[in-house]
Amino acid sequence: MQTAAPFPTLTRNTTERRSTVRVTRSRAAALAAAAVMLSGGCGGSSSGGAKGADADRFSVALTEPDHLTPGNTSSDYSITVLDTLFETPVSIDAASGKPVMRAAESVTSTDQKVWTIKIRQGGAFSNGEPVTAQSFADSWNATAYGPNGWTNNYYFANIEGYDKLNPEKGDPSTDKMSGLKVVDDHTLEVTLTAPFSQFPITLAYIAFAPMPKAAFADLKAYDQAPVGNGPFVLDGAWEHDRQIKVKRSPAYNGERRAKAGGVTFKIYAGRDTAYTDLRAGRVDLLTTIPPASTAEAQRLLGDRFLRTPDGTMDYLGFPTFDKRFASRDLRRAFSMAIDRKAIVDAVYDGAFKPMASLLAPLVPGYRENACGEACTYDPAKAKALFDQAGGFSGTLTLWFSNADPSYEQWMTAVANQLKQNLGISDIKLRKVPASDYLSSLRERKEDGPYRNNWVMDYPSPQDYLEYMWGAGNRMGWENKEFDDLIKQANSAPGLDASLPLYQKAEDVALAEMPMIPLWNWQNQVGFSGRISGVNVTPYSKNLYAISVKQG
């Protein structure tokens, strides 16, 4: 049995390949492809033929972000931008899936409970302010401070003093976690509530990025114009629902120096329009070609198309706080009534992988058929279990966002299968604007099953299980056995020792089925002939490494 943490001492390796970037809640894309409708190597894009500074700029298709404060967003769209503006303490190596140093020089511990983070000297924010241990402490405290209501608050729950910033009743008595100690300008000591061998890998998530002192003068204004420590800096105002422009940061001296002069994030309402623009040469990079267009893209784009595995998962969650969905048998009946493969083939042209696990295949501890019978399509057994549970009366409302047309397509397919296989006749679709969807779920406004999507923050079972099924989850599901197993796994002496415990916790969640696993994303990327160096991995889009061809 392993007796030491898998990452007890981490130090900067100055020869580390520059393609390894921080992991985000980003869906890992694959590499990609450009439209054959683009003429030649430098043929038309929105930046094609540009003069001056714009000649060294490329464009990326994106959906409108919700926030641009590192601690206040879990949106893939936001994190794509933030990855260019910020640098977290560590990143994830694409080859090994293990953490490597970025803004930190080292992350060490002798007991896995008290961790010492050495901050790389010479780092600076784009406004010239130095990046120090205090920069990280201030940012983490702001994210953990309950009254701020920031999305990534819960990532700091295992740091001592978090509870004082998030009391069950009344206002916090402090705005600083006692577990954060700034030893000197370049040393931050972090004391956790319990040993946690995987703490270093969590530091790759965007919530752990630093913020400058200038941010705290007006946090609302900062959200619109963030100042970071990454390879790019904002270039003008955030033009909502239109574009966000960034340019190479003169203050950055780390290992991810930008090769292009700038990036324009073009905002699209849906991937289909973005794909049309990629083919027409109006955008240079699309990291999520619509799965239904995969065959066409592969045929047209040739060697500028690549499909790769991803950590992103789709689920169907239940509002278990609603008594109509309190029955475990009812939820399991829904799962068995859904033909995952048929939906993947019809909606995604077979590009996604039907799942019988809560974890993505690239995550340590993944088991291909962890779910067993409950995730096997069997209409007859599903109907028998449904009837045994007392059935369902009233209107069944299925919730999803309007961020992509495929969401409505597969929800429609689910509705049809539930009607046919379970006999639920009154089913309605509730399509919510993408900008409001996550807040609606956080506030538990949903009155029926809902699309839940998880983009891997870092490759660990804990990232999936604790954050989606643990305390404060969106389903309102509570299970002491599950919580105890997660605590035991988190405190295990190393990854090898933790995996069986995480798997037992997964078994508990699958037996109760408060959320149904559906499919794992497999990503397709397309890019224009204007750019080179595209290297999208399961952990980052690596936009800093892209060059614009001249000529």
Side-chain angles (χ1 to χ4, degrees):
M1 182 175 71
Q2 188 171 341
T3 58
F7 321 117
T9 300
L10 295 177
T11 57
R12 173 172 292 277
N13 179 355
T14 56
T15 63
E16 188 65 38
R17 291 186 300 114
R18 292 182 59 180
S19 63
T20 57
V21 186
R22 63 126 190 106
V23 66
T24 68
R25 221 166 253 205
S26 105
R27 66 186 50 111
L31 250 207
V36 292
M37 297 178 73
L38 299 178
S39 59
C42 297
S45 87
S46 58
S47 309
K51 304 297 183 182
D54 282 346
D56 195 26
R57 172 182 293 275
F58 65 94
S59 56
V60 177
L62 195 71
T63 297
E64 174 77 357
D66 59 351
H67 293 284
L68 289 181
T69 299
N72 197 23
T73 184
S74 61
S75 163
D76 179 43
Y77 319 126
S78 301
I79 293 173
T80 296
V81 178
L82 292 175
D83 188 34
T84 68
L85 301 177
F86 289 87
E87 194 146 87
T88 48
V90 307
S91 67
I92 303 300
D93 176 70
S96 68
K98 294 183 177 180
V100 294
M101 296 298 100
R102 280 294 174 258
E105 287 283 354
S106 63
V107 181
T108 61
S109 178
T110 58
D111 62 1
Q112 301 182 80
K113 182 176 180 181
V114 180
W115 294 86
T116 299
I117 303 173
K118 290 288 187 180
I119 308 302
R120 178 172 60 84
Q121 298 191 32
F125 292 100
S126 59
N127 65 353
E129 192 177 313
V131 176
T132 66
Q134 191 67 55
S135 307
F136 287 92
D138 289 344
S139 179
W140 298 5
N141 279 322
T143 306
Y145 186 59
N148 283 341
W150 286 3
T151 299
N152 293 325
N153 170 286
Y154 56 91
Y155 282 90
F156 300 89
N158 62 346
I159 296 178
E160 282 194 354
Y162 170 87
D163 56 338
K164 297 293 180 62
L165 277 64
N166 298 270
E168 292 185 6
K169 296 181 180 180
D171 296 327
S173 58
T174 178
D175 60 359
K176 294 178 177 60
M177 290 181 285
S178 59
L180 296 183
K181 179 182 178 181
V182 176
V183 178
D184 56 44
D185 281 351
H186 301 288
T187 307
L188 179 63
E189 184 180 275
V190 184
T191 301
L192 306 180
T193 56
F196 184 31
S197 64
Q198 297 177 80
F199 177 70
I201 205 170
T202 69
L203 298 177
Y205 182 50
I206 194 63
F208 292 90
M211 293 197 302
K213 292 180 180 178
F216 299 94
D218 188 339
L219 287 172
K220 288 186 178 180
Y222 181 80
D223 190 54
Q224 297 298 306
V227 172
N229 63 326
F232 291 91
V233 58
L234 274 181
D235 184 13
W238 174 2
E239 300 177 52
H240 288 276
D241 298 310
R242 183 173 179 268
Q243 67 178 13
I244 299 171
K245 297 176 72 174
V246 300
K247 61 183 178 182
R248 185 187 295 122
S249 173
Y252 180 77
N253 63 357
E255 296 178 13
R256 296 195 301 149
R257 290 181 177 86
K259 293 186 177 181
V263 181
T264 298
F265 296 97
K266 297 185 66 176
I267 308 302
Y268 290 88
R271 285 186 290 174
D272 288 334
T273 304
Y275 177 59
T276 297
D277 274 7
L278 174 69
R279 295 183 57 194
R282 291 188 287 267
V283 69
D284 293 314
L285 177 64
L286 174 60
T287 61
T288 52
I289 290 176
S293 301
T294 296
E296 177 192 65
Q298 194 167 7
R299 183 178 70 255
L300 296 179
L301 307 180
D303 61 2
R304 288 179 290 174
F305 175 89
L306 181 65
R307 180 186 296 167
T308 61
D310 189 11
T312 302
M313 296 278 289
D314 275 340
Y315 308 87
L316 187 69
F318 292 94
T320 65
F321 50 83
D322 185 329
K323 64 181 181 180
R324 297 177 301 166
F325 304 99
S327 168
R328 182 187 77 163
D329 286 346
L330 176 76
R331 301 191 295 262
R332 291 169 66 87
F334 272 56
S335 177
M336 297 169 68
I338 297 174
D339 188 342
R340 295 160 175 78
K341 186 178 186 306
I343 295 176
V344 164
D345 289 344
V347 178
Y348 296 117
D349 198 25
F352 289 1
K353 178 181 174 62
M355 292 300 294
S357 168
L358 302 183
L359 309 178
L362 56 80
V363 177
Y366 163 76
R367 296 168 294 167
E368 185 173 8
N369 192 30
C371 187
E373 182 181 62
C375 292
T376 300
Y377 179 57
D378 192 327
K381 288 185 179 180
K383 184 61 165 67
L385 195 59
F386 178 75
D387 292 340
Q388 178 182 315
F392 183 88
S393 60
T395 300
L396 179 69
T397 305
L398 302 178
W399 287 59
F400 57 95
S401 82
N402 67 350
D404 189 277
S406 68
Y407 303 163
E408 184 168 7
Q409 293 167 14
W410 74 252
M411 271 296 194
T412 300
V414 166
N416 290 335
Q417 290 178 359
L418 295 179
K419 286 180 181 178
Q420 178 178 340
N421 297 329
L422 300 182
I424 304 175
S425 59
D426 188 4
I427 301 180
K428 294 183 178 179
L429 301 182
R430 177 77 163 84
K431 182 163 60 174
V432 180
S435 57
D436 299 329
Y437 188 67
L438 291 180
S439 60
S440 296
L441 297 183
R442 283 195 296 269
E443 296 167 11
R444 295 185 176 176
K445 293 181 178 180
E446 71 276 18
D447 59 355
Y450 58 92
R451 174 189 180 267
N452 195 63
N453 171 264
W454 189 256
V455 183
M456 181 180 65
D457 305 317
Y458 43 87
S460 165
Q462 177 267 341
D463 180 55
Y464 291 77
L465 298 175
E466 184 170 10
Y467 296 145
M468 282 193 287
W469 283 266
N473 60 72
R474 292 171 181 168
M475 298 94 67
W477 179 69
E478 297 180 0
N479 187 288
K480 186 179 186 301
E481 182 183 5
F482 176 90
D483 293 339
D484 287 346
L485 285 166
I486 292 295
K487 289 178 182 178
Q488 293 174 42
N490 288 348
S491 299
L495 179 61
D496 290 343
S498 71
L499 291 182
L501 295 166
Y502 285 128
Q503 289 172 340
K504 288 182 179 180
E506 182 186 15
D507 290 341
V508 172
L510 286 169
E512 291 289 322
M513 202 65 79
M515 186 154 57
I516 298 171
L518 294 175
W519 38 78
N520 168 234
W521 290 39
Q522 306 288 298
N523 284 295
Q524 302 72 226
V525 177
F527 60 91
S528 79
R530 291 186 66 249
I531 59 178
S532 63
V534 179
N535 182 28
V536 183
T537 75
Y539 309 111
S540 175
K541 295 178 176 67
N542 292 325
L543 299 183
Y544 77 94
I546 293 178
S547 299
V548 178
K549 298 177 182 179
Q550 302 301 314

